[in-house]
């Protein structure tokens, strides 16, 4: 059974406060994983996973926007509890968090391959090249940039429209002020084993900022059954 998207959510933090570092589970089952991306406006920010559950950072090839600052980190978590809020620790900066819950992934390590790419300002941004080790793997993309006034009021991300069939799951940033983090998450099903995934580009309405695009391929578990997870609520902890 192919690893399957279950649910997702987003939480943001801007000038006026907010969260941007937490999410709350729905009904959790033993086969579920959380894939979490945390974007920060500071490339010096230290980002740490929650203390409960089993978490590991997903190694990405590019984490930091070298020109204007900002970073993107990704984590995988399992063994979580139902109806529980999980908070990441950040040392500074504004932030946005997107989480994607998946089922029927490999129970030991759900990630087949992961990579990321820093891209220059423009209307389109290419993802990194990755190749699946099995047919029809779940593909998760995260697209992140810092946004500044006045573009921050209208900035958005659009996943690739050619290659794979993408569904954008989340896209947002802190809704107030200046210098926030725009982060989107999307999913698709990759093709055949050993064939590189299409690198058709993401698009954005904010053409002035460098960006980070991360791509994660999910390993399926043989013979698994999709158990499903209730829709998760957003975290509401104070920043």
């Amino acid at each position: 059974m192919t690893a399957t998207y279950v649910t997702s959510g987003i939480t943001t933090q801007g000038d006026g406060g907010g969260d941007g570092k937490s999410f709350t589970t729905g009904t959790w089952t033993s086969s579920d994983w959380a894939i979490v991306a945390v974007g920060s406006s500071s490339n010096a920010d230290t980002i740490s996973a929650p203390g409960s559950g089993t978490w590991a950072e997903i190694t990405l090839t590019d984490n930091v926007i070298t020109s204007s600052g900002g970073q993107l980190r990704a984590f995988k978590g399992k063994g979580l509890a139902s109806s529980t809020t999980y908070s990441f620790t950040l040392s500074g900066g504004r932030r946005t968090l997107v989480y994607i819950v998946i089922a029927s992934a490999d129970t030991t390590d759900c990630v087949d391959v992961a990579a990321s790419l820093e891209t220059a300002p423009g209307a389109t941004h290419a993802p990194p090249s990755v190749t699946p080790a099995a047919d029809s793997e779940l593909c998760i993309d995260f697209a992140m940039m810092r946004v500044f006034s006045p573009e921050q009021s209208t900035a958005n991300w659009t996943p690739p429209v050619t290659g794979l069939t993408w569904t954008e799951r989340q896209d947002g940033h802190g809704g107030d002020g200046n210098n926030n983090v725009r982060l989107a998450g999307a999913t698709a099903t990759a093709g055949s084993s050993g064939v590189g995934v299409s690198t058709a580009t993401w698009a954005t309405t904010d053409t002035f900022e460098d960006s980070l695009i991360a791509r994660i391929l999910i390993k399926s578990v043989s013979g698994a059954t999709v158990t499903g997870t209730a829709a998760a609520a957003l975290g509401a902890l104070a920043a």
Side-chain angles (χ1 to χ4, degrees):
M1 176 72 71
T2 302
T4 306
Y5 166 85
V6 177
T7 191
S8 63
I10 186 170
T11 178
T12 65
Q13 187 252 358
D15 292 340
D19 186 11
K21 60 182 175 61
S22 303
F23 75 101
T24 301
T25 58
T27 301
W28 196 266
T29 66
S30 59
S31 69
D32 292 340
W33 286 85
I35 306 299
V36 181
V38 183
S40 170
S41 63
S42 169
N43 57 13
D45 205 351
T46 299
I47 303 173
S48 302
S52 58
T54 301
W55 292 93
E57 184 168 358
I58 299 171
T59 301
L60 300 176
T61 43
D62 285 322
N63 290 106
V64 172
I65 298 175
T66 55
S67 59
S68 59
Q71 64 173 303
L72 176 65
R73 302 281 174 175
F75 298 83
K76 54 191 175 185
K78 66 175 182 176
L80 309 188
S82 299
S83 304
T84 300
T85 298
Y86 292 88
S87 298
F88 289 76
T89 302
L90 291 86
S91 59
R94 297 179 179 89
R95 61 264 184 173
T96 296
L97 177 151
V98 169
Y99 67 91
I100 293 177
V101 177
I102 58 175
S104 297
D106 186 283
T107 56
T108 301
D109 184 359
C110 66
V111 175
D112 175 15
V113 62
S116 57
L117 188 65
E118 181 182 6
T119 63
T124 58
H125 298 268
S129 176
V130 296
T131 301
D135 294 343
S136 303
E137 290 188 340
L138 179 65
C139 186
I140 299 175
D141 270 17
F142 294 107
M144 175 259 181
M145 66 167 62
R146 290 176 69 184
V147 287
F148 300 89
S149 182
E151 292 79 26
Q152 68 92 19
S153 62
T154 58
N156 61 49
W157 282 108
T158 301
V161 296
T162 60
L164 306 184
T165 300
W166 288 92
T167 301
E168 187 172 62
R169 303 299 184 177
Q170 300 293 333
D171 184 9
H173 65 269
D176 58 333
N178 190 18
N179 186 19
N180 287 304
V181 176
R182 186 87 195 184
L183 181 60
T187 61
T189 300
S192 300
S193 170
V195 178
V197 177
S198 168
T199 54
T201 56
W202 279 74
T204 180
T205 54
D206 187 343
T207 61
F208 300 99
E209 305 304 329
D210 297 81
S211 300
L212 287 167
I213 309 295
R215 176 159 289 178
I216 303 167
L217 294 179
I218 302 298
K219 292 189 290 187
S220 300
V221 59
S222 177
T225 300
V226 178
T227 56
T229 299
L234 292 179
L237 298 183

